[in-house]
Amino acid sequence: MADEPRYVEHAFDGDVHVLRIANPPVNTLRTEVRAGLLDGLKAAEREGARAIVLIGSGRNFSAGAEMTEFGKPRKPPSLPEVFDAIEQSRAPVVAAIHGNALGGGLELALACHARVASPGAQLGLPEVKRGFVPGAGGTQRLPRMIGLEALRLIVGGDPVSAEEAERLGFVDAVLPGELEKAAIAWAREAATSGRQFVLARHRTDRIQGQDMAAFDEAARKLLARSRGQESPKGCVEAVRAAFTMPFEEGLNVEREQFQRLVAGEQSQALRHIFFGEREVARVPDVPEGTKPLPVRKLVVIGCGTMGGGIAMSAANFGMPVTVVESTQEALERGLKRCEANWQRTVASGRLSQAEYEKRRALLTGTTDFEKAVGEADLVIEAVFEDMGVKKEVFARLDKAARPGIVLASNTSTLDIDEIASATGRPELVCGMHFFSPANVMRLLEIVRGRKTSAETLATAMDVGKRIGKLNVVVGNCDGFVGNRMTGKRGPQVEKLLLEGCLPQDIDRVMEAYGMAMGPLATGDLAGLDIGAAVRKARGTVAPIADAVVAAGRLGQKTGKGYYDYDENRKRMPSKEVEKIILDMSEKMQVRRRRIEDQEILERLLLPMVNEGARILEEGIAYRPVDIDVIFVNGFGWPAWRGGPMFWADRMGLRAVRDRLAHYAEATNDPNLRPAALIERLASEGGSFAGMKGPARA
Ligand code: NAI
């Protein structure tokens, strides 16, 4: 054995050398790995290797660059230096890919003389999703191997399977069985049979004569999906260079795009969310090693809008689920809605009939509450939002369910502790707050009651994860995190309408910011009667919103709300609503004025940030990034904007404090007085991101 650099193991099989990347868990290409590869290549050369197999240890080839090294002084060797050594190696270097080869990991493989892969391995360049472009030659090598298809892979950022990669032409062979052995045999055979390897940088066959009008058309289609985001455009420019420039010049274009984008705010935002989505899995109230209870069979009470969606999520991810309804009629209606929903996906070609049947078979329905619940390993309740009803259902669940299983509620506003008090097992009760449509939205707020045990939280998190959700554990309060924060936006929406805006002005600003949908259009989609009912229950008024509802405009379901809708649900500004608003301004003697976009944006986002700060003070959310992850995954907040707390940090907390104080005064809204946490951080020159430990004031 030669010297063993710690992060790259060097092994032999006769004259075939093996370099094994060993940087668990995902073999990122940190400095020590790059150095180890370079040393290993030199040693193999020195020792007269006939061929070199490059492979990952553990479950992956490599997930790519070590993103935590970004923004720090670069330590040699760089990836391009490693790639130069590969390309200059006398012995062919064969990348052997299992698990994932992503980003820099795939770029490493693309620089090799050949690539072999295990069936089902995933290969991709996801850099665009982190806000930059592949920065180590990926945008130049991949087009030289597979032509225009590279544009889709690089701009879209989704991985493809080894089989698809072979079909496209950037994997030479898919090898079943134990990969290292198979790769050694393949490399030996290739090297001894005199097979000619042409490095990607020397190939022109797939880029020559590319019709650039077709390129532009393909690029236009791909970019149409990424409104406002910079990295997809950067990817297009880098890939364009592959078709129009010599290799080295193309690399320069790629490097410029990479450096510009990686330093930009969008990439910082995307990486903030990327790491945040991993961070939220670390839950202070769930000590490491806490075992979830085993759950095989899920039971959902209520097969309405939410119950049906939750059940579909389970079936979509292979978990058997039974829905319980109160009447046969409601049950049939609920199951039909699930079927119709799936059938639409089949019709669109995104789901095969066979897969549909598999999912449908996992879903059963019954009206026999006691029997179904008696067989459950976990129950999620999704009946009407009414404390009386919920407590009744939970008392009944407690009797019917096996002792020791978790009972969860999908309530969006009610007190989990009070619901739990209806049972003799409050430690096994928690909230599992899904978002509508529950089969689509990734966010799941898991609500921790006063008595909820760590094991219960771990169980809810385990089930959430298994049915494709992104869990964020939150504390128990009215609206939990997401709805509590958006709720604080409402009063400012009213005031903006009174002072000079129309619905379309507000939505335009929020959509230009990048939100999937502005707040008024969202209200129309959800139904304006919901907010009206909440206001009524709380004894609050919103003159304009109330007048819109009073005019019978309940949103899309009545064909009109803040907007008019045509038969295709296309929204149009409404004359009637404009009149309601203007009349109300006059009646309340508010002089209407032109309101700048920046003011609209601040008055909608700052109240949310302020409430977010209070949520942190109260320990309802563990960390600022938890809030940002919630907004990106449940509220259509664009990931490249990083979420509300990230936005506030960019603005600077001193400015946030001052603007809040200003609007509190100017709009007579005491709720906008800066939260204590914001006051403190602003006076210390601090930021949300810089907070250490819990924020409790
Ligand atoms: P829904 O009215 O569409 O569905 C409720 C279903 O529960 C109905 O089909 C009803 O027949 C059934 N049901 C009532 N009592 C029952 C009982 N004792 N046993 C069995 N089935 C019973 O209501 P939706 O919108 O699905 O809401 C359900 C829960 O989810 C509520 O707590 C709501 O606050 C919450 N939620 C709603 C969201 C939404 O956007 N609609 C979002 C997140 C949570």
Side-chain angles (χ1 to χ4, degrees):
M1 286 295 259
D3 287 344
E4 263 196 17
R6 226 173 105 216
Y7 288 94
V8 176
E9 301 161 4
H10 196 155
F12 313 89
D13 183 310
D15 51 6
V16 177
H17 288 227
V18 178
L19 299 180
R20 243 183 255 127
I21 306 172
N23 178 26
V26 291
N27 292 333
T28 56
L29 302 171
R30 57 184 285 168
T31 308
E32 292 83 347
V33 169
R34 302 193 301 271
L37 286 171
L38 205 52
D39 289 347
L41 288 161
K42 280 188 198 144
E45 184 91 8
R46 234 180 7 247
E47 290 162 27
R50 180 118 208 198
I52 301 167
V53 168
L54 196 56
I55 195 165
S57 69
R59 284 187 291 159
N60 289 300
F61 181 71
S62 166
E66 179 55 59
M67 280 199 284
T68 55
E69 286 182 358
F70 285 12
K72 297 186 186 149
R74 288 185 179 224
K75 289 201 212 120
S78 66
L79 268 186
E81 280 171 67
V82 176
F83 295 2
D84 285 345
I86 291 173
E87 290 181 329
Q88 281 155 25
S89 166
R90 255 177 297 145
V93 183
V94 178
I97 298 165
H98 70 303
N100 292 325
L102 300 176
L106 180 57
E107 291 180 293
L108 169 63
L110 295 178
C112 292
H113 296 81
R115 285 143 298 281
V116 297
S118 286
Q122 296 285 307
L123 298 84
L125 295 170
E127 284 86 345
V128 69
K129 298 185 182 186
R130 315 280 172 262
F132 45 95
V133 304
T139 65
Q140 305 307 302
R141 289 191 177 89
L142 193 60
R144 283 177 166 77
M145 293 179 180
I146 67 172
L148 191 55
E149 291 272 18
L151 190 65
R152 173 174 65 85
L153 264 57
I154 293 170
V155 177
D158 292 324
V160 297
S161 67
E163 292 78 4
E164 171 78 353
E166 184 184 30
R167 188 187 68 74
L168 289 168
F170 65 106
V171 156
D172 297 272
V174 177
L175 305 177
E178 199 208 312
L179 184 65
E180 185 170 311
K181 237 194 215 146
I184 290 169
W186 192 91
R188 171 169 290 121
E189 207 282 321
T192 47
S193 68
R195 182 180 168 133
Q196 292 298 306
F197 294 101
V198 184
L199 291 167
R201 67 156 67 221
H202 296 139
R203 283 181 60 178
T204 54
D205 52 306
R206 298 302 303 269
I207 52 172
Q208 233 162 23
Q210 170 65 44
D211 169 4
M212 291 314 282
F215 177 96
D216 288 336
E217 178 57 15
R220 193 188 55 74
K221 279 202 189 122
L222 289 164
L223 290 179
R225 293 185 217 150
S226 56
R227 187 170 54 105
Q229 204 180 325
E230 291 166 6
S231 57
K233 291 188 212 131
C235 288
V236 167
E237 288 323 305
V239 175
R240 182 193 306 281
F243 288 99
T244 56
M245 292 179 186
F247 186 75
E248 290 295 335
E249 281 176 41
L251 282 184
N252 289 337
V253 172
E254 178 190 90
R255 194 166 313 120
E256 281 159 25
Q257 292 290 347
F258 176 83
Q259 280 166 356
R260 178 178 69 83
L261 289 166
V262 93
E265 190 169 313
Q266 291 196 358
S267 175
Q268 288 171 38
L270 285 160
R271 279 178 279 148
H272 167 73
I273 293 299
F274 177 79
F275 287 118
E277 289 182 357
R278 280 145 190 83
E279 182 77 11
V280 294
R282 281 190 280 279
V283 178
D285 288 300
V286 181
E288 217 167 301
T290 308
K291 288 242 166 357
L293 300 166
V295 175
R296 270 176 304 272
K297 178 85 194 215
L298 182 68
V299 167
V300 178
I301 311 296
C303 192
T305 314
M306 294 305 289
I310 296 166
M312 286 177 73
S313 288
N316 287 348
F317 284 84
M319 185 180 284
V321 55
T322 299
V323 291
V324 179
E325 262 294 349
S326 39
T327 65
Q328 192 59 34
E329 195 199 336
L331 177 63
E332 271 160 31
R333 202 172 39 222
L335 290 174
K336 278 227 171 66
R337 202 168 27 221
C338 296
E339 285 165 3
N341 210 325
W342 269 319
Q343 282 297 348
R344 272 199 298 279
T345 320
V346 172
S348 75
R350 281 175 296 136
L351 182 70
S352 71
Q353 181 69 22
E355 181 58 29
Y356 160 65
E357 276 157 25
K358 218 166 90 197
R359 293 179 186 190
R360 179 64 189 84
L362 288 168
L363 170 65
T364 49
T366 180
T367 54
D368 191 340
F369 186 104
E370 270 65 32
K371 180 162 183 294
V373 170
E375 291 166 358
D377 296 318
L378 182 133
V379 179
I380 300 174
E381 165 278 317
V383 304
F384 306 127
E385 186 77 342
D386 176 290
M387 185 55 91
V389 177
K390 300 267 191 211
K391 283 173 94 167
E392 212 180 289
V393 169
F394 268 76
R396 202 170 156 200
L397 283 175
D398 193 32
K399 281 203 197 74
R402 280 188 290 111
I405 76 151
V406 171
L407 307 176
S409 172
N410 179 48
T411 179
S412 42
T413 53
L414 300 174
D415 180 355
I416 290 295
D417 291 329
E418 192 175 344
I419 294 175
S421 74
T423 74
R425 60 175 100 187
E427 71 287 354
L428 285 162
V429 176
C430 68
M432 287 180 80
H433 181 212
F434 292 81
F435 288 76
S436 185
N439 54 317
V440 177
M441 299 299 284
R442 223 177 135 218
L443 177 64
L444 173 59
E445 284 182 339
I446 294 179
V447 187
R448 151 177 64 88
R450 206 166 355 148
K451 298 193 177 153
T452 308
S453 71
E455 207 175 39
T456 299
L457 290 177
T459 306
M461 288 168 69
D462 176 55
V463 170
K465 192 169 171 199
R466 282 164 58 200
I467 65 175
K469 299 303 170 195
L470 186 90
N471 306 312
V472 184
V473 175
V474 301
N476 181 24
C477 66
D478 190 357
F480 313 123
V481 172
N483 288 338
R484 174 169 160 185
M485 283 171 65
T486 50
K488 297 299 174 192
R489 200 174 53 181
Q492 285 296 326
V493 170
E494 270 285 320
K495 285 177 200 282
L496 284 167
L497 293 174
L498 267 182
E499 290 169 31
C501 290
L502 291 175
Q504 50 274 27
D505 301 325
I506 296 175
D507 284 346
R508 176 182 50 76
V509 170
M510 298 313 280
E511 286 162 16
Y513 179 79
M515 305 296 180
M517 203 185 250
L520 295 139
T522 305
D524 277 357
L525 182 64
L528 300 179
D529 49 331
I530 296 181
V534 172
R535 284 194 296 279
K536 196 164 165 209
R538 294 186 181 158
T540 57
V541 287
I544 291 175
D546 292 339
V548 169
V549 171
R553 307 183 63 103
L554 303 187
Q556 287 199 19
K557 61 184 166 193
T558 55
K560 54 187 188 171
Y562 282 107
Y563 296 94
D564 292 334
Y565 291 87
D566 68 11
E567 60 282 1
N568 298 319
R569 300 207 159 189
K570 184 172 145 20
R571 75 186 197 218
M572 295 162 298
S574 157
K575 279 283 158 217
E576 188 187 8
V577 169
E578 183 173 342
K579 184 162 184 319
I580 291 174
I581 292 171
L582 297 184
D583 287 352
M584 195 58 73
S585 300
E586 198 179 316
K587 187 169 150 207
M588 297 180 67
Q589 298 182 344
V590 179
R591 252 246 330 268
R592 292 181 69 81
R593 65 183 169 95
R594 200 191 120 66
I595 301 178
E596 297 298 330
D597 288 1
Q598 183 63 21
E599 179 177 340
I600 296 176
L601 188 72
E602 288 180 0
R603 287 176 65 179
L604 290 187
L605 299 193
L606 286 170
M608 289 204 271
V609 170
N610 209 28
E611 197 63 14
R614 294 191 186 110
I615 280 171
L616 289 168
E617 288 167 9
E618 294 167 24
I620 295 292
Y622 293 114
R623 297 148 291 221
V625 72
D626 292 33
I627 296 176
D628 288 337
V629 166
I630 284 174
F631 275 85
V632 167
N633 287 282
F635 291 84
W637 197 297
W640 50 269
R641 290 285 195 185
M645 309 317 266
F646 183 89
W647 176 81
D649 272 351
R650 292 297 122 156
M651 186 165 174
L653 293 191
R654 286 211 178 99
V656 167
R657 174 196 59 197
D658 295 346
R659 299 309 287 158
L660 275 167
H662 163 75
Y663 287 123
E665 180 92 7
T667 70
N668 190 23
D669 186 348
N671 193 44
L672 292 195
R673 288 198 199 117
L677 176 63
I678 291 179
E679 290 280 10
R680 175 165 72 74
L681 289 172
S683 69
E684 291 168 356
S687 65
F688 289 123
M691 272 169 50
K692 302 258 182 303
R696 282 160 228 213

